[in-house]
Structure formats: C-alpha cells, structure tokens
Amino acid sequence: MMMSTLFFDVDTQIDFLYPAGALYVPGAEFIVPAIARLNRYAKERGIPLLSTLDTHTENDPEFAAHGFPAHCVRGTAGWNKPSATMVGQTLFEKNTFDAFQNPDLARWVAGLSPQRVVVYGVVTEICVAGAVRGLLHALPGVSVELVTDAVMALNGEAAREFLAWLESQGGRLTTADSVCV
C-alpha cells in the first residue's frame, strides 16, 4: 500500500523571495527552481499540494510586534507567488507563524490524513518551523520531510537549531532530487 503524501509549500511569496521584496530573505531567489520543481512533481503525480500565503493588512500589528517591515499585504505584488510555482495548488491564507492557526487549513489537512508531509518554503526558522510544529501537533506520528535545498533562513543559527530539533522529533532532512524521483 502506498503511503499518502502531502506537499506543503510555505509562504513562497515575492516579498520573501526576491531582492525587491519587502522582507527579502537573502538568497531565496535561488530556491525558486526547486520549489517550482516540487510543486510540478506533486501536481503531475496527483499528490495534494498545500500552499500558504502569508497575508497581512496594511497596518498589521505583527509588523510592530516583531519589528518586521510591512510585507505580504493582501493585494500587493509582493503578496503573490511567482508564476513558476503556481500549478493549481490549494491556497490558504494565514497571518500567524503557525499555519495551523487557520482552522480551514487544519481541517483540510486533517481530512487528508497524510502519513508523510514534504515541507519547503520560507523562512526556515519562522514560518516553516511554525508549519512543521503545527503538523506534528495536529497529526501525531506523521512523517515530516524538510527539503533543505528548497528552504531559506534569515538567521542561520536559529535555522540550524530548528533542523536539529526536527531531526530529534523523527523528522528527516532531504533534497528536491531525492523527493522528485
């Protein structure tokens, strides 16, 4: 019997991925081809693909609370995902680090009952970490694989700590080449 799989594309939006973005993650533009490849792979094989959109209002309290500049404001160019990554996935908006705070997303994922979730996106130690923690809490026993060449961090040390924590929880680090076989 084949293991049910879900691909989880976290916040791969223009504001994070490109130098002109409002909260650019240095080097993130280089992971766009891997993200596009993973998303196409999922679509071509009928694997459910969940894609989150970090979504804020113009004066969102998060900006002041965390010292972030205004980013991913609904309706702006930076809120969008690069066209190369858009393949008809199921999109869910969120305005917290943990995507599972969105009850519709949580219900949708629970309804799929995936045994394996392949996770990638930005920012490794913030929203990707939030998504992984949410997954592990919502679906105890789920196998989580993080695609290391399809994530990018703002704080390398915090990202390394998260990756070590993920492995300590039974998570697996992988690459796009290993996933897309």
Side-chain angles (χ1 to χ4, degrees):
M1 183 170 159
M2 192 170 180
M3 182 184 303
S4 66
T5 298
L6 167 67
F7 277 39
F8 197 157
D9 170 352
V10 180
D11 297 356
T12 55
Q13 294 162 262
I14 291 169
D15 266 351
F16 297 128
L17 295 174
Y18 296 108
L23 188 52
Y24 171 59
V25 180
E29 67 272 24
F30 299 112
I31 67 170
V32 173
I35 294 162
R37 179 179 177 202
L38 289 158
N39 288 359
R40 282 191 314 272
Y41 179 88
K43 179 169 173 68
E44 290 165 0
R45 283 155 183 80
I47 298 168
L49 171 58
L50 162 63
S51 191
T52 58
L53 288 163
D54 192 37
T55 303
H56 300 287
T57 58
E58 207 168 292
N59 296 309
D60 196 302
E62 176 186 294
F63 304 149
H66 298 287
F68 295 142
H71 62 278
C72 299
V73 174
R74 179 186 281 115
T76 64
W79 178 66
N80 294 305
K81 292 185 170 278
S83 59
T85 68
M86 293 299 296
V87 294
Q89 61 264 53
T90 302
L91 297 169
F92 285 96
E93 295 181 13
K94 65 177 195 59
N95 65 356
T96 62
F97 297 157
D98 177 1
F100 284 84
Q101 295 298 312
N102 176 330
D104 294 330
L105 178 148
R107 275 191 296 279
W108 188 82
V109 171
L112 291 174
S113 301
Q115 296 167 300
R116 171 185 177 233
V117 182
V118 177
V119 181
Y120 45 95
V122 290
V123 173
T124 307
E125 72 280 14
I126 302 173
C127 290
V128 172
V132 166
R133 286 184 172 100
L135 273 168
L136 293 173
H137 178 74
L139 301 169
V142 71
S143 170
V144 175
E145 297 177 22
L146 188 116
V147 185
T148 58
D149 56 349
V151 293
M152 193 59 64
L154 280 171
N155 178 317
E157 181 58 32
R160 283 186 291 281
E161 289 173 10
F162 164 67
L163 296 177
W165 175 84
L166 175 60
E167 288 183 305
S168 78
Q169 300 301 302
R172 190 167 85 81
L173 305 182
T174 190
T175 64
D177 281 346
S178 294
V179 171
C180 299
V181 291

mmCIF file of all heavy atoms in Angstrom, residues 7-43:
data_model
loop_
_atom_site.group_PDB
_atom_site.id
_atom_site.type_symbol
_atom_site.label_atom_id
_atom_site.label_comp_id
_atom_site.label_asym_id
_atom_site.label_seq_id
_atom_site.Cartn_x
_atom_site.Cartn_y
_atom_site.Cartn_z
ATOM 1 N N PHE A 7 2.315 17.564 -0.046
ATOM 2 C CA PHE A 7 3.391 18.543 -0.213
ATOM 3 C C PHE A 7 2.897 19.852 0.392
ATOM 4 O O PHE A 7 1.753 20.245 0.188
ATOM 5 C CB PHE A 7 3.733 18.743 -1.685
ATOM 6 C CG PHE A 7 4.678 17.711 -2.241
ATOM 7 C CD1 PHE A 7 4.596 16.377 -1.894
ATOM 8 C CD2 PHE A 7 5.659 18.088 -3.144
ATOM 9 C CE1 PHE A 7 5.466 15.432 -2.415
ATOM 10 C CE2 PHE A 7 6.532 17.162 -3.677
ATOM 11 C CZ PHE A 7 6.442 15.829 -3.311
ATOM 12 N N PHE A 8 3.779 20.532 1.141
ATOM 13 C CA PHE A 8 3.413 21.726 1.895
ATOM 14 C C PHE A 8 4.402 22.843 1.553
ATOM 15 O O PHE A 8 5.528 22.870 2.032
ATOM 16 C CB PHE A 8 3.465 21.390 3.391
ATOM 17 C CG PHE A 8 2.755 22.348 4.304
ATOM 18 C CD1 PHE A 8 2.335 21.903 5.545
ATOM 19 C CD2 PHE A 8 2.522 23.670 3.982
ATOM 20 C CE1 PHE A 8 1.691 22.735 6.449
ATOM 21 C CE2 PHE A 8 1.887 24.524 4.853
ATOM 22 C CZ PHE A 8 1.467 24.062 6.093
ATOM 23 N N ASP A 9 3.962 23.759 0.707
ATOM 24 C CA ASP A 9 4.745 24.908 0.225
ATOM 25 C C ASP A 9 4.410 26.097 1.121
ATOM 26 O O ASP A 9 3.308 26.634 1.069
ATOM 27 C CB ASP A 9 4.354 25.142 -1.238
ATOM 28 C CG ASP A 9 4.866 26.429 -1.848
ATOM 29 O OD1 ASP A 9 5.420 27.286 -1.134
ATOM 30 O OD2 ASP A 9 4.687 26.592 -3.068
ATOM 31 N N VAL A 10 5.376 26.517 1.945
ATOM 32 C CA VAL A 10 5.134 27.533 2.972
ATOM 33 C C VAL A 10 5.608 28.920 2.525
ATOM 34 O O VAL A 10 6.809 29.152 2.329
ATOM 35 C CB VAL A 10 5.851 27.159 4.291
ATOM 36 C CG1 VAL A 10 5.596 28.220 5.364
ATOM 37 C CG2 VAL A 10 5.422 25.782 4.773
ATOM 38 N N ASP A 11 4.660 29.823 2.323
ATOM 39 C CA ASP A 11 4.917 31.264 2.148
ATOM 40 C C ASP A 11 5.924 31.622 1.056
ATOM 41 O O ASP A 11 6.693 32.579 1.213
ATOM 42 C CB ASP A 11 5.371 31.884 3.465
ATOM 43 C CG ASP A 11 4.323 31.822 4.550
ATOM 44 O OD1 ASP A 11 3.194 31.360 4.283
ATOM 45 O OD2 ASP A 11 4.626 32.232 5.681
ATOM 46 N N THR A 12 5.939 30.903 -0.035
ATOM 47 C CA THR A 12 6.892 31.227 -1.104
ATOM 48 C C THR A 12 6.318 32.367 -1.942
ATOM 49 O O THR A 12 5.816 32.166 -3.044
ATOM 50 C CB THR A 12 7.221 29.991 -1.951
ATOM 51 O OG1 THR A 12 6.013 29.432 -2.453
ATOM 52 C CG2 THR A 12 7.974 28.957 -1.122
ATOM 53 N N GLN A 13 6.438 33.565 -1.394
ATOM 54 C CA GLN A 13 5.847 34.761 -1.978
ATOM 55 C C GLN A 13 6.933 35.750 -2.385
ATOM 56 O O GLN A 13 8.041 35.752 -1.849
ATOM 57 C CB GLN A 13 4.878 35.397 -0.980
ATOM 58 C CG GLN A 13 3.671 34.523 -0.715
ATOM 59 C CD GLN A 13 2.943 34.897 0.552
ATOM 60 O OE1 GLN A 13 3.157 34.270 1.593
ATOM 61 N NE2 GLN A 13 2.092 35.909 0.480
ATOM 62 N N ILE A 14 6.576 36.607 -3.322
ATOM 63 C CA ILE A 14 7.522 37.549 -3.913
ATOM 64 C C ILE A 14 8.205 38.415 -2.855
ATOM 65 O O ILE A 14 9.410 38.666 -2.942
ATOM 66 C CB ILE A 14 6.814 38.376 -5.002
ATOM 67 C CG1 ILE A 14 6.496 37.444 -6.180
ATOM 68 C CG2 ILE A 14 7.636 39.580 -5.425
ATOM 69 C CD1 ILE A 14 5.578 38.021 -7.236
ATOM 70 N N ASP A 15 7.467 38.877 -1.848
ATOM 71 C CA ASP A 15 8.081 39.727 -0.818
ATOM 72 C C ASP A 15 9.227 39.046 -0.077
ATOM 73 O O ASP A 15 10.109 39.716 0.450
ATOM 74 C CB ASP A 15 7.041 40.215 0.193
ATOM 75 C CG ASP A 15 6.468 41.575 -0.171
ATOM 76 O OD1 ASP A 15 6.977 42.232 -1.102
ATOM 77 O OD2 ASP A 15 5.495 41.989 0.494
ATOM 78 N N PHE A 16 9.222 37.716 -0.014
ATOM 79 C CA PHE A 16 10.287 36.981 0.669
ATOM 80 C C PHE A 16 11.375 36.496 -0.293
ATOM 81 O O PHE A 16 12.528 36.336 0.094
ATOM 82 C CB PHE A 16 9.725 35.747 1.384
ATOM 83 C CG PHE A 16 8.744 36.042 2.476
ATOM 84 C CD1 PHE A 16 7.507 35.411 2.487
ATOM 85 C CD2 PHE A 16 9.034 36.918 3.504
ATOM 86 C CE1 PHE A 16 6.590 35.648 3.502
ATOM 87 C CE2 PHE A 16 8.129 37.171 4.520
ATOM 88 C CZ PHE A 16 6.907 36.534 4.515
ATOM 89 N N LEU A 17 10.993 36.225 -1.533
ATOM 90 C CA LEU A 17 11.883 35.504 -2.446
ATOM 91 C C LEU A 17 12.816 36.362 -3.294
ATOM 92 O O LEU A 17 13.818 35.841 -3.787
ATOM 93 C CB LEU A 17 11.052 34.628 -3.388
ATOM 94 C CG LEU A 17 10.274 33.497 -2.732
ATOM 95 C CD1 LEU A 17 9.385 32.810 -3.769
ATOM 96 C CD2 LEU A 17 11.211 32.497 -2.075
ATOM 97 N N TYR A 18 12.497 37.616 -3.499
ATOM 98 C CA TYR A 18 13.278 38.423 -4.444
ATOM 99 C C TYR A 18 13.836 39.685 -3.788
ATOM 100 O O TYR A 18 13.211 40.248 -2.888
ATOM 101 C CB TYR A 18 12.419 38.778 -5.657
ATOM 102 C CG TYR A 18 12.022 37.555 -6.447
ATOM 103 C CD1 TYR A 18 10.715 37.084 -6.420
ATOM 104 C CD2 TYR A 18 12.965 36.852 -7.192
ATOM 105 C CE1 TYR A 18 10.357 35.943 -7.136
ATOM 106 C CE2 TYR A 18 12.616 35.717 -7.907
ATOM 107 C CZ TYR A 18 11.314 35.269 -7.872
ATOM 108 O OH TYR A 18 10.966 34.140 -8.572
ATOM 109 N N PRO A 19 14.997 40.129 -4.249
ATOM 110 C CA PRO A 19 15.654 41.296 -3.636
ATOM 111 C C PRO A 19 14.776 42.541 -3.523
ATOM 112 O O PRO A 19 14.947 43.324 -2.596
ATOM 113 C CB PRO A 19 16.859 41.540 -4.540
ATOM 114 C CG PRO A 19 17.186 40.190 -5.091
ATOM 115 C CD PRO A 19 15.837 39.517 -5.292
ATOM 116 N N ALA A 20 13.838 42.734 -4.420
ATOM 117 C CA ALA A 20 12.953 43.898 -4.334
ATOM 118 C C ALA A 20 11.818 43.695 -3.333
ATOM 119 O O ALA A 20 11.058 44.621 -3.060
ATOM 120 C CB ALA A 20 12.376 44.229 -5.708
ATOM 121 N N GLY A 21 11.716 42.501 -2.762
ATOM 122 C CA GLY A 21 10.642 42.193 -1.824
ATOM 123 C C GLY A 21 10.765 42.953 -0.523
ATOM 124 O O GLY A 21 11.863 43.318 -0.090
ATOM 125 N N ALA A 22 9.644 43.180 0.119
ATOM 126 C CA ALA A 22 9.594 43.965 1.350
ATOM 127 C C ALA A 22 10.317 43.302 2.524
ATOM 128 O O ALA A 22 10.817 43.988 3.413
ATOM 129 C CB ALA A 22 8.142 44.246 1.732
ATOM 130 N N LEU A 23 10.383 41.985 2.553
ATOM 131 C CA LEU A 23 11.075 41.255 3.627
ATOM 132 C C LEU A 23 11.906 40.146 2.981
ATOM 133 O O LEU A 23 11.756 38.960 3.264
ATOM 134 C CB LEU A 23 10.078 40.695 4.649
ATOM 135 C CG LEU A 23 10.656 40.072 5.931
ATOM 136 C CD1 LEU A 23 11.629 41.011 6.632
ATOM 137 C CD2 LEU A 23 9.533 39.677 6.878
ATOM 138 N N TYR A 24 12.780 40.578 2.079
ATOM 139 C CA TYR A 24 13.614 39.672 1.297
ATOM 140 C C TYR A 24 14.496 38.808 2.189
ATOM 141 O O TYR A 24 15.129 39.288 3.116
ATOM 142 C CB TYR A 24 14.480 40.488 0.342
ATOM 143 C CG TYR A 24 15.548 39.712 -0.381
ATOM 144 C CD1 TYR A 24 15.230 38.643 -1.204
ATOM 145 C CD2 TYR A 24 16.885 40.067 -0.241
ATOM 146 C CE1 TYR A 24 16.215 37.942 -1.876
ATOM 147 C CE2 TYR A 24 17.886 39.376 -0.915
ATOM 148 C CZ TYR A 24 17.541 38.314 -1.734
ATOM 149 O OH TYR A 24 18.527 37.624 -2.396
ATOM 150 N N VAL A 25 14.500 37.522 1.892
ATOM 151 C CA VAL A 25 15.370 36.566 2.563
ATOM 152 C C VAL A 25 16.567 36.362 1.640
ATOM 153 O O VAL A 25 16.422 35.783 0.559
ATOM 154 C CB VAL A 25 14.630 35.228 2.801
ATOM 155 C CG1 VAL A 25 15.540 34.226 3.491
ATOM 156 C CG2 VAL A 25 13.352 35.456 3.606
ATOM 157 N N PRO A 26 17.742 36.884 2.007
ATOM 158 C CA PRO A 26 18.895 36.821 1.101
ATOM 159 C C PRO A 26 19.157 35.415 0.562
ATOM 160 O O PRO A 26 19.228 34.447 1.302
ATOM 161 C CB PRO A 26 20.052 37.324 1.971
ATOM 162 C CG PRO A 26 19.391 38.254 2.946
ATOM 163 C CD PRO A 26 18.070 37.581 3.256
ATOM 164 N N GLY A 27 19.241 35.339 -0.756
ATOM 165 C CA GLY A 27 19.498 34.081 -1.438
ATOM 166 C C GLY A 27 18.250 33.293 -1.792
ATOM 167 O O GLY A 27 18.333 32.280 -2.494
ATOM 168 N N ALA A 28 17.087 33.736 -1.346
ATOM 169 C CA ALA A 28 15.859 32.959 -1.558
ATOM 170 C C ALA A 28 15.500 32.805 -3.033
ATOM 171 O O ALA A 28 14.877 31.806 -3.401
ATOM 172 C CB ALA A 28 14.691 33.578 -0.794
ATOM 173 N N GLU A 29 15.905 33.739 -3.860
ATOM 174 C CA GLU A 29 15.575 33.611 -5.279
ATOM 175 C C GLU A 29 16.168 32.340 -5.881
ATOM 176 O O GLU A 29 15.657 31.795 -6.855
ATOM 177 C CB GLU A 29 16.022 34.844 -6.076
ATOM 178 C CG GLU A 29 17.519 35.044 -6.179
ATOM 179 C CD GLU A 29 18.149 35.840 -5.031
ATOM 180 O OE1 GLU A 29 17.582 35.882 -3.912
ATOM 181 O OE2 GLU A 29 19.230 36.410 -5.246
ATOM 182 N N PHE A 30 17.228 31.829 -5.272
ATOM 183 C CA PHE A 30 17.889 30.632 -5.792
ATOM 184 C C PHE A 30 17.142 29.334 -5.476
ATOM 185 O O PHE A 30 17.455 28.296 -6.046
ATOM 186 C CB PHE A 30 19.333 30.554 -5.289
ATOM 187 C CG PHE A 30 20.145 31.731 -5.749
ATOM 188 C CD1 PHE A 30 20.590 32.679 -4.836
ATOM 189 C CD2 PHE A 30 20.433 31.923 -7.096
ATOM 190 C CE1 PHE A 30 21.316 33.780 -5.255
ATOM 191 C CE2 PHE A 30 21.164 33.023 -7.525
ATOM 192 C CZ PHE A 30 21.602 33.961 -6.607
ATOM 193 N N ILE A 31 16.167 29.386 -4.567
ATOM 194 C CA ILE A 31 15.388 28.177 -4.272
ATOM 195 C C ILE A 31 14.109 28.096 -5.113
ATOM 196 O O ILE A 31 13.439 27.074 -5.098
ATOM 197 C CB ILE A 31 15.060 28.026 -2.767
ATOM 198 C CG1 ILE A 31 14.106 29.117 -2.279
ATOM 199 C CG2 ILE A 31 16.341 27.968 -1.947
ATOM 200 C CD1 ILE A 31 13.556 28.889 -0.874
ATOM 201 N N VAL A 32 13.788 29.149 -5.861
ATOM 202 C CA VAL A 32 12.561 29.157 -6.661
ATOM 203 C C VAL A 32 12.510 27.987 -7.647
ATOM 204 O O VAL A 32 11.467 27.324 -7.756
ATOM 205 C CB VAL A 32 12.344 30.516 -7.352
ATOM 206 C CG1 VAL A 32 11.165 30.470 -8.319
ATOM 207 C CG2 VAL A 32 12.131 31.609 -6.300
ATOM 208 N N PRO A 33 13.597 27.655 -8.371
ATOM 209 C CA PRO A 33 13.516 26.498 -9.277
ATOM 210 C C PRO A 33 13.190 25.186 -8.549
ATOM 211 O O PRO A 33 12.411 24.373 -9.055
ATOM 212 C CB PRO A 33 14.896 26.449 -9.929
ATOM 213 C CG PRO A 33 15.383 27.860 -9.878
ATOM 214 C CD PRO A 33 14.862 28.384 -8.563
ATOM 215 N N ALA A 34 13.736 24.977 -7.365
ATOM 216 C CA ALA A 34 13.439 23.761 -6.605
ATOM 217 C C ALA A 34 11.974 23.755 -6.160
ATOM 218 O O ALA A 34 11.311 22.711 -6.206
ATOM 219 C CB ALA A 34 14.374 23.629 -5.400
ATOM 220 N N ILE A 35 11.470 24.900 -5.736
ATOM 221 C CA ILE A 35 10.061 24.994 -5.324
ATOM 222 C C ILE A 35 9.152 24.686 -6.508
ATOM 223 O O ILE A 35 8.207 23.901 -6.399
ATOM 224 C CB ILE A 35 9.759 26.391 -4.746
ATOM 225 C CG1 ILE A 35 10.531 26.599 -3.443
ATOM 226 C CG2 ILE A 35 8.267 26.589 -4.540
ATOM 227 C CD1 ILE A 35 10.657 28.044 -3.025
ATOM 228 N N ALA A 36 9.448 25.292 -7.651
ATOM 229 C CA ALA A 36 8.645 25.051 -8.853
ATOM 230 C C ALA A 36 8.687 23.572 -9.237
ATOM 231 O O ALA A 36 7.661 22.978 -9.588
ATOM 232 C CB ALA A 36 9.147 25.929 -10.002
ATOM 233 N N ARG A 37 9.862 22.968 -9.148
ATOM 234 C CA ARG A 37 10.014 21.549 -9.483
ATOM 235 C C ARG A 37 9.179 20.669 -8.550
ATOM 236 O O ARG A 37 8.479 19.754 -8.981
ATOM 237 C CB ARG A 37 11.483 21.167 -9.406
ATOM 238 C CG ARG A 37 11.754 19.721 -9.713
ATOM 239 C CD ARG A 37 13.230 19.434 -9.630
ATOM 240 N NE ARG A 37 13.482 18.014 -9.850
ATOM 241 C CZ ARG A 37 14.577 17.401 -9.442
ATOM 242 N NH1 ARG A 37 15.529 18.057 -8.824
ATOM 243 N NH2 ARG A 37 14.722 16.106 -9.658
ATOM 244 N N LEU A 38 9.266 20.937 -7.242
ATOM 245 C CA LEU A 38 8.498 20.167 -6.263
ATOM 246 C C LEU A 38 6.997 20.312 -6.502
ATOM 247 O O LEU A 38 6.252 19.321 -6.477
ATOM 248 C CB LEU A 38 8.860 20.603 -4.846
ATOM 249 C CG LEU A 38 10.251 20.190 -4.368
ATOM 250 C CD1 LEU A 38 10.722 21.082 -3.226
ATOM 251 C CD2 LEU A 38 10.262 18.723 -3.958
ATOM 252 N N ASN A 39 6.546 21.543 -6.758
ATOM 253 C CA ASN A 39 5.120 21.769 -6.982
ATOM 254 C C ASN A 39 4.643 21.057 -8.251
ATOM 255 O O ASN A 39 3.573 20.442 -8.253
ATOM 256 C CB ASN A 39 4.820 23.269 -7.055
ATOM 257 C CG ASN A 39 4.911 23.944 -5.698
ATOM 258 O OD1 ASN A 39 5.179 23.304 -4.683
ATOM 259 N ND2 ASN A 39 4.703 25.246 -5.671
ATOM 260 N N ARG A 40 5.428 21.121 -9.322
ATOM 261 C CA ARG A 40 5.062 20.417 -10.561
ATOM 262 C C ARG A 40 5.031 18.902 -10.329
ATOM 263 O O ARG A 40 4.128 18.216 -10.805
ATOM 264 C CB ARG A 40 6.037 20.756 -11.694
ATOM 265 C CG ARG A 40 5.811 22.104 -12.337
ATOM 266 C CD ARG A 40 6.617 22.274 -13.620
ATOM 267 N NE ARG A 40 8.002 21.861 -13.504
ATOM 268 C CZ ARG A 40 9.011 22.637 -13.104
ATOM 269 N NH1 ARG A 40 8.785 23.890 -12.777
ATOM 270 N NH2 ARG A 40 10.249 22.167 -13.037
ATOM 271 N N TYR A 41 6.019 18.404 -9.610
ATOM 272 C CA TYR A 41 6.098 16.971 -9.309
ATOM 273 C C TYR A 41 4.818 16.514 -8.598
ATOM 274 O O TYR A 41 4.220 15.492 -8.952
ATOM 275 C CB TYR A 41 7.338 16.697 -8.461
ATOM 276 C CG TYR A 41 7.516 15.253 -8.068
ATOM 277 C CD1 TYR A 41 8.206 14.377 -8.902
ATOM 278 C CD2 TYR A 41 7.014 14.757 -6.876
ATOM 279 C CE1 TYR A 41 8.375 13.042 -8.555
ATOM 280 C CE2 TYR A 41 7.179 13.434 -6.510
ATOM 281 C CZ TYR A 41 7.866 12.572 -7.358
ATOM 282 O OH TYR A 41 8.030 11.254 -7.016
ATOM 283 N N ALA A 42 4.401 17.276 -7.586
ATOM 284 C CA ALA A 42 3.187 16.924 -6.847
ATOM 285 C C ALA A 42 1.979 16.924 -7.781
ATOM 286 O O ALA A 42 1.195 15.966 -7.788
ATOM 287 C CB ALA A 42 2.969 17.895 -5.693
ATOM 288 N N LYS A 43 1.829 17.978 -8.551
ATOM 289 C CA LYS A 43 0.669 18.073 -9.453
ATOM 290 C C LYS A 43 0.658 16.929 -10.461
ATOM 291 O O LYS A 43 -0.383 16.306 -10.685
ATOM 292 C CB LYS A 43 0.658 19.402 -10.174
ATOM 293 C CG LYS A 43 -0.521 19.513 -11.141
ATOM 294 C CD LYS A 43 -0.695 20.882 -11.664
ATOM 295 C CE LYS A 43 -1.739 20.968 -12.746
ATOM 296 N NZ LYS A 43 -3.087 20.746 -12.369
#
